[in-house]
């Protein structure tokens, strides 16, 4: 297969590939079956070792380190190679205009388009032929590979990455083309499933959190969901760990964080705002394509700049018959928002979605002892538009939290849940990935959000909310969140989600006491 190449000059005919599609399909079928058998064997191997590990033996037997991950990686690579012949077969059948069994430039096809077709098909074996051709054509025409399929979702939720790392990636892409891109990648919710955007903060990417989010949808049997990892570049600070989480005072920040890291954070915040302006175009296109799409957004720390600016600045679609606006709304979870606390009041043009009907349910976690967000208080503000405090560092009874909840209630914007957490995880600054071992509280936020957007009978409060409130009522601040993050509580809530049953107070109390007996030190942490 030739690499990507320019279209030859007029009159020059170049053969690109020639093959018998049936032969390519037969090879793919045989190879796929072999790969399936290997995959089944690996599952059986893992089950056998799991049983062995849990068995009581005298003398005790040790279990060797698992090679599952390495073997699965190898199988995925082989599977990718085995899908290529099928992709070539499809390309021959779909792009061969004169049906002579040879793809040539006489078919108005370029090597670049064939290469892109095969590339897109290998990444997403479940998509329709029309969708794959549309994606390849759009990438060729726009020069933008805006979406990457991370997990095509074989009988489970799909995971894709929305690449907004390069600033201004949508410049020159028309609203119509952007709608086509979203439709071609199945990001408009037209299959009836929810679309869940995950937006990371200062460091890292959203890919891991998006995969864990897809696992939670699968846990609840919601396999038609699409999880979108919004990946953006935080500038100079993006590749550095947030060492400033150890800060305990503004003076400590000034002395310990240093000017370089402060500048990095300023860069990252500026980047987040610009990415939010780009993402607004994506939300506008999504709403135009499917005004009734069931959309959830989870944003962490600086990622709240990205998500809130996008939702505030996006445009509602118009009904083509009545020419009236169709209000577009989402379910929103903001984890420790690293935005100025007064942003929705003093800058409604960029953050007004927080108090308006764009967000039909707002769930927001805050922590007045968040050591990372204390850095906000020490930053110099040149224009005096905002004071130095971050919204995620507010107390539950502060003026701004009261303002947000009361305005939402008075205007009928939607329901609001404020989670005043005291977790010790991340020095009080929770993370974004619900799959981490120490992310029991964050995992619960996601499970609540999934409950809300997949069950029309849930209005603002899910069984997860009730379970967490019970623990908070029964145990003092600080200890409550530590208990909620224990393995016993996490596994119990996971079982409840899988079985679609509500957790009971009796079970929660029993498990909490068991966890305290295992680790009495939690009381003094």
């Amino acid at each position: 297969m030739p690499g990507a190449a320019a279209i030859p000059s007029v009159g020059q005919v170049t053969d690109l590939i020639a093959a018998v599609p049936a032969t390519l399909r037969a090879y793919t079928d045989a190879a796929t079956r072999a790969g399936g058998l290997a995959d089944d064997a690996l599952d059986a191997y893992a089950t056998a070792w799991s049983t062995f590990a849990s068995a009581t033996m005298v003398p005790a037997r040790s279990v060797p380190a698992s090679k599952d991950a390495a073997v699965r990686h190898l199988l995925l690579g082989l599977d990718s190679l085995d899908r290529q012949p099928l992709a070539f077969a499809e390309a021959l059948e779909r792009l061969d205009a004169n049906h002579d069994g040879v793809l040539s430039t006489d078919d108005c096809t370029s090597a670049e388009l064939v290469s892109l077709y095969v590339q897109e098909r290998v990444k997403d074996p479940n998509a329709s032929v029309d969708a794959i051709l549309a994606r390849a054509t759009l990438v060729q025409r726009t020069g933008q590979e805006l979406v990457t399929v991370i997990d095509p979702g074989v009988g489970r939720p799909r995971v894709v990455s929305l690449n907004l790392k390069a600033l201004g990636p949508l410049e020159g892409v028309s609203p119509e083309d952007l709608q086509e891109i979203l439709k071609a990648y199945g990001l408009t919710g037209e299959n009836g499933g929810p679309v869940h955007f995950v937006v990371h903060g200062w460091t890292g990417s959203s890919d891991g959190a998006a995969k864990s989010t897809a696992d939670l949808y699968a846990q609840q049997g919601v396999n038609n969901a699409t999880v979108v990892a919004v990946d953006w570049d935080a500038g100079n600070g993006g590749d550095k760990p947030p060492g400033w989480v150890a800060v305990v005072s503004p003076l400590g920040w000034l002395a310990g964080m240093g000017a370089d890291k402060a500048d990095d954070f300023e860069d990252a915040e500026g980047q987040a705002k610009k990415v939010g302006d780009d993402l607004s175009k994506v939300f506008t296109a999504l709403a135009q394509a499917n005004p009734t799409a069931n959309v959830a957004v989870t944003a962490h720390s600086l990622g709240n700049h990205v998500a809130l600016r996008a939702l505030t600045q996006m445009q509602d679609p118009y009904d083509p018959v009545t020419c009236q606006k169709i209000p577009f709304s989402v379910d929103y979870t903001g984890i420790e928002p690293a935005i100025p606390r007064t942003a929705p009041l003093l800058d409604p043009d960029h953050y007004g979605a927080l108090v308006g009907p764009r967000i039909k349910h707002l769930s927001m976690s805050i922590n007045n002892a968040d050591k990372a967000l204390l850095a906000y208080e020490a930053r110099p503000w040149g224009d005096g538009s905002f004071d130095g405090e971050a919204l995620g560092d507010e107390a539950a009874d502060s003026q701004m939290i009261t303002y947000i909840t009361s305005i939402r209630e008075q205007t009928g914007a939607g329901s609001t849940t404020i989670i005043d957490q005291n977790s010790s995880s991340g020095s009080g600054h929770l993370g974004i990935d619900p799959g981490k071992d120490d992310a029991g509280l964050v995992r619960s936020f996601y499970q609540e959000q999934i409950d809300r957007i997949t069950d029309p009978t849930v209005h603002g409060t899910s069984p997860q909310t009730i379970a967490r409130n019970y623990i908070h009522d029964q145990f003092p601040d600080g200890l409550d969140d530590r208990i909620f993050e224990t393995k016993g509580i996490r596994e119990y809530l996971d079982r409840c989600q899988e079985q679609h049953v509500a957790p009971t107070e009796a079970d929660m109390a029993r498990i909490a006491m068991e966890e305290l007996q295992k680790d009495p030190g939690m009381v003094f942490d």
Side-chain angles (χ1 to χ4, degrees), residues 351-360 407-408 411 413-414:
Y351 301 94
L354 200 58
V355 292
R358 177 78 70 216
I359 295 176
K360 60 187 172 185
I407 290 295
R408 290 182 59 80
T411 61

Side-chain angles (χ1 to χ4, degrees), residues 40-55 57 63-64 68:
D40 291 344
L42 180 61
D43 286 337
Y45 167 85
T47 301
W49 276 119
S50 176
T51 304
F52 178 84
S54 61
M57 297 185 180
V63 181
D68 290 0

Side-chain angles (χ1 to χ4, degrees), residues 191-248:
N191 66 343
V195 182
H196 197 136
F197 290 81
V198 178
V199 191
H200 67 83
W202 184 5
T203 60
S205 80
S206 301
D207 292 0
K211 292 175 185 176
S212 299
T213 304
D215 290 340
L216 294 181
Y217 275 99
Q219 177 188 78
Q220 294 183 223
V222 183
N223 291 319
N224 61 345
T226 298
V227 184
V228 184
V230 179
D231 284 327
W232 57 281
D233 184 1
N236 292 335
D239 296 326
K240 299 178 182 179
W244 54 308
V245 294
V247 173
V248 294

Side-chain angles (χ1 to χ4, degrees), residues 293-504:
N294 189 7
V295 176
V297 179
T298 305
H300 173 243
S301 197
L302 276 182
N304 285 274
H305 274 299
V306 175
L308 289 172
R309 288 175 74 94
L311 290 170
T312 302
Q313 296 176 99
M314 69 166 288
Q315 301 297 312
D316 282 318
Y318 282 88
D319 186 307
V321 177
T322 65
C323 295
Q324 299 294 313
K325 279 188 177 181
I326 304 173
F328 182 79
S329 61
V330 305
D331 187 291
Y332 191 92
T333 294
I335 303 173
E336 319 296 290
I339 64 172
R341 64 172 185 166
T342 51
L345 175 64
L346 298 183
D347 192 3
D349 290 342
H350 294 109
Y351 301 94
L354 200 58
V355 292
R358 177 78 70 216
I359 295 176
K360 60 187 172 185
H361 177 82
L362 169 66
S363 182
M364 187 166 63
S365 74
I366 57 176
N367 181 3
N368 195 226
D370 187 322
K371 294 183 175 63
L373 294 183
L374 280 175
Y376 252 78
E377 299 176 5
R379 293 197 304 161
W381 293 87
D383 60 5
S385 298
F386 298 109
D387 60 28
E389 294 186 30
L391 185 59
D393 191 26
E394 288 289 273
D397 59 353
S398 70
Q399 286 185 328
M400 279 312 303
I401 296 299
T402 302
Y403 166 77
I404 290 171
T405 54
S406 62
I407 290 295
R408 290 182 59 80
E409 182 178 355
Q410 291 170 19
T411 61
S415 53
T416 308
T417 300
I418 302 297
I419 303 122
D420 186 14
Q421 61 94 5
N422 293 282
S423 171
S424 59
S425 176
S427 294
H429 193 64
L430 298 176
I432 183 68
D433 190 343
K436 300 287 187 182
D437 289 341
D438 63 347
L441 195 56
V442 172
R443 191 177 185 85
S444 175
F445 299 165
Y446 277 92
Q447 288 171 325
E448 286 181 63
Q449 192 168 27
I450 293 171
D451 282 344
R452 289 194 299 268
I453 67 170
T454 58
D455 185 349
T457 66
V458 174
H459 300 288
T461 300
S462 85
Q464 288 275 341
T465 319
I466 297 169
R468 191 177 60 251
N469 288 342
Y470 172 74
I471 292 293
H472 285 184
D473 290 342
Q474 297 301 310
F475 295 91
D477 287 350
L479 180 58
D480 49 5
D481 288 322
R482 290 182 180 88
I483 288 175
F484 204 82
E485 291 176 332
T486 59
K487 183 179 179 182
I489 293 291
R490 186 174 69 246
E491 290 181 346
Y492 172 66
L493 293 176
D494 281 345
R495 287 196 300 273
C496 290
Q497 294 296 107
E498 290 168 2
Q499 298 167 12
H500 298 281
V501 298
T504 68

Side-chain angles (χ1 to χ4, degrees), residues 53-289:
S54 61
T56 302
M57 297 185 180
V58 180
R61 296 288 189 270
S62 60
V63 181
S66 172
K67 300 295 183 183
D68 290 0
V71 176
R72 287 197 186 280
H73 182 73
L74 175 62
L75 284 174
L76 285 173
L78 291 173
D79 190 38
S80 176
L81 289 174
D82 291 336
R83 284 201 294 267
Q84 287 189 12
L86 179 61
F88 281 122
E90 285 184 359
L92 274 167
E93 293 176 335
R94 189 57 190 265
L95 302 175
D96 183 10
N98 56 13
H99 305 290
D100 62 354
V102 177
L103 262 185
S104 68
T105 52
D106 195 36
D107 296 301
C108 298
T109 298
S110 69
E112 180 186 30
L113 180 59
V114 177
S115 179
L116 287 170
Y117 186 98
V118 172
Q119 172 184 306
E120 293 296 325
R121 166 54 76 208
V122 168
K123 288 190 297 186
D124 196 354
N126 294 324
S128 69
V129 173
D130 287 342
I132 294 297
L133 181 58
R135 295 177 192 178
T137 304
L138 284 164
V139 171
Q140 185 183 39
R141 186 168 80 235
T142 64
Q144 295 286 342
E145 192 170 1
L146 189 65
V147 181
T148 301
V149 178
I150 297 174
D151 184 343
V154 182
R156 57 171 282 114
R158 299 171 65 241
V159 183
V160 304
S161 173
L162 183 63
N163 181 11
L164 297 179
K165 290 183 178 179
L167 290 180
L170 302 179
E171 290 181 10
V173 179
S174 70
E176 293 75 21
D177 277 349
L178 187 51
Q179 282 188 52
E180 282 190 56
I181 291 172
L182 297 182
K183 287 182 178 180
Y185 282 94
L187 305 187
T188 58
E190 291 179 317
N191 66 343
V195 182
H196 197 136
F197 290 81
V198 178
V199 191
H200 67 83
W202 184 5
T203 60
S205 80
S206 301
D207 292 0
K211 292 175 185 176
S212 299
T213 304
D215 290 340
L216 294 181
Y217 275 99
Q219 177 188 78
Q220 294 183 223
V222 183
N223 291 319
N224 61 345
T226 298
V227 184
V228 184
V230 179
D231 284 327
W232 57 281
D233 184 1
N236 292 335
D239 296 326
K240 299 178 182 179
W244 54 308
V245 294
V247 173
V248 294
S249 72
L251 290 177
W253 174 77
L254 288 171
M257 184 174 181
D260 289 345
K261 188 162 284 295
D263 288 343
D264 288 345
F265 182 77
E266 296 290 340
D267 286 345
E269 187 173 42
Q271 295 279 101
K273 294 175 180 179
K274 294 173 184 175
V275 175
D277 299 342
D278 283 332
L279 184 60
S280 69
K281 300 175 183 178
V282 174
F283 281 132
T284 295
L286 193 162
Q288 294 287 349

